[in-house]
Structures are given as C-alpha cells and as structure tokens.
Amino acid sequence: MQSPPATLVVAYHGGRGHTAALAAAVVTGAETVPDVEVREVRVDEMTVAQWRNLDESTAIVFGAPTYMGTASAAFHTFAEASSRRQFVRRWQDKLAAGFTNSGAKAGDKSGTLGYFATLAAQHGMTWINLGLPAGWNKSSGSEFDVNRLGFFAGAAAQSNVDEGPAAVHQADLATAQHLGRRVGEHARVVVAGRQALAVREELTR
C-alpha cells in the first residue's frame, strides 16, 4: 500500500529579503524528496487557509531574521497567535526545524534557533537539527563549506547589511537546502511509519 504524501510547510517572516531567499532554498531542498508536498507561509500575512495548512502538515520549518538576539517581532506575533493551537495540542508530534539570518557572523543566531526549538517543544513537536558537522574550521576549508558558520540546531546564515538578498552566500543557501531535504526525508519516514503501524495493528485485530 502506497503511503500518502507528507506535507512540509515553511513558515517564515522575511525582513529585507535575505530570510525569504533562505526560505526558498529550504523549499528547494524539501522538493527533492519524493512523496513530500511543500508549501510556504508568510507568518505576517496569515489567513484561515494558511493556518489550516499548518494544522494539516507533517512538518513545519520556522524561519525569521535575528533582530536584537531573537526572532523578528512579526514572528513573535505569529508565535503568540499559535497559542490557540497549543491549548488544544493541535501541532502535537509534528516535526519542526528552523533557520535564521543576521548581519554578523555569530549575531546571536543561537538565541533565535533556541527560541524556535522552545516554541516547538511547547507545542509538543519533535525538533529536527541540522545534522551537519561544522564547516570552514580548518586550513583546508573555505567559506564555501556547507554549514560554514558552524551552527547545529538549525540552518544559520550571514548577510552583509549593505547588500541585498541577491548577495546571500551560496554556502548558506546550500545549508538551507540541506535542512529542507533533511526535514522532508524525516517527514516521509514518519508518514510511512505511521501507515505501516496502522496496517500492522489492523492485521493483528
């Protein structure tokens, strides 16, 4: 019996366009996984249909720029609105992951990724980390290594504050693509596993 498709939603707020470029890369990565349907949701433009997309998804990837050590205010507004789902455990056992961007190499991005992970935990979701070793940390490495900034909880990017989204670093886009592919693969396994368990339980009745 063929498993139904997994659904992955990239829920993000973009500031000046850099984070939106990363969101597009996450989508690109996720779309390489068979049997995974991918959607984008801009959290500052939520509609009833978009909330439904999140509610019906297998996995949600959160994204926002890092401003003053945490996610943007627009993302925080979305997170607070999601508390209605938290009260009824609507997102319980979904998969979750995150990505962020800042102007500095470090830029306190860990604060934002940690905030995403805490939000996911409050909803009872299962966090998917980046799953990559650090790049650009030895003499033979380069700034074009995947995970060049060495973050592990999620995908982190750095964009110069005097350049537009077209200048988002190729290594950071590749890292975001990897995250999308990784979450998509996990989502596919979850859907297939749940179906297999349901079939086995039906056969043993």
Side-chain angles (χ1 to χ4, degrees), residues 15-187:
R16 297 172 49 231
H18 305 87
T19 308
L22 293 170
V26 173
V27 169
T28 297
E31 287 179 337
T32 66
V33 183
D35 302 319
V36 175
E37 296 179 355
V38 187
R39 298 186 179 95
E40 283 186 57
V41 168
R42 288 198 54 129
V43 300
D44 55 338
E45 303 172 350
M46 294 300 295
T47 65
V48 171
Q50 288 171 326
W51 280 113
R52 187 178 303 115
N53 285 338
L54 293 173
D55 293 343
E56 296 174 353
S57 68
T58 311
I60 303 174
V61 183
F62 300 122
T66 294
Y67 293 151
M68 303 304 290
T70 187
S72 57
F75 190 91
H76 276 268
T77 298
F78 157 76
E80 291 178 15
S82 78
S83 64
R84 296 182 180 180
R85 269 77 184 164
Q86 193 264 352
F87 292 150
V88 297
R89 313 310 291 166
R90 188 64 185 82
W91 295 354
Q92 181 81 26
D93 296 328
K94 294 183 185 295
L95 302 182
F99 63 94
T100 188
N101 175 80
S102 71
K105 295 292 190 295
D108 292 324
K109 288 187 277 281
S110 286
T112 300
L113 294 174
Y115 169 69
F116 290 155
T118 298
L119 174 65
Q122 289 175 334
H123 280 283
M125 304 169 79
T126 300
W127 186 257
I128 305 298
N129 59 42
L130 184 59
L132 283 175
W136 201 16
N137 63 354
K138 51 189 175 183
S139 60
S140 60
S142 81
E143 65 176 287
F144 295 99
D145 291 345
V146 180
N147 196 21
R148 67 185 181 116
L149 300 179
F151 285 78
F152 301 99
Q158 180 270 333
S159 301
N160 293 332
V161 297
D162 58 347
E163 293 184 312
V168 174
H169 202 287
Q170 289 302 308
D172 295 342
L173 293 174
T175 303
Q177 286 183 18
H178 169 86
L179 180 67
R181 183 167 55 253
R182 177 170 166 82
V183 178
E185 289 169 349
H186 278 267

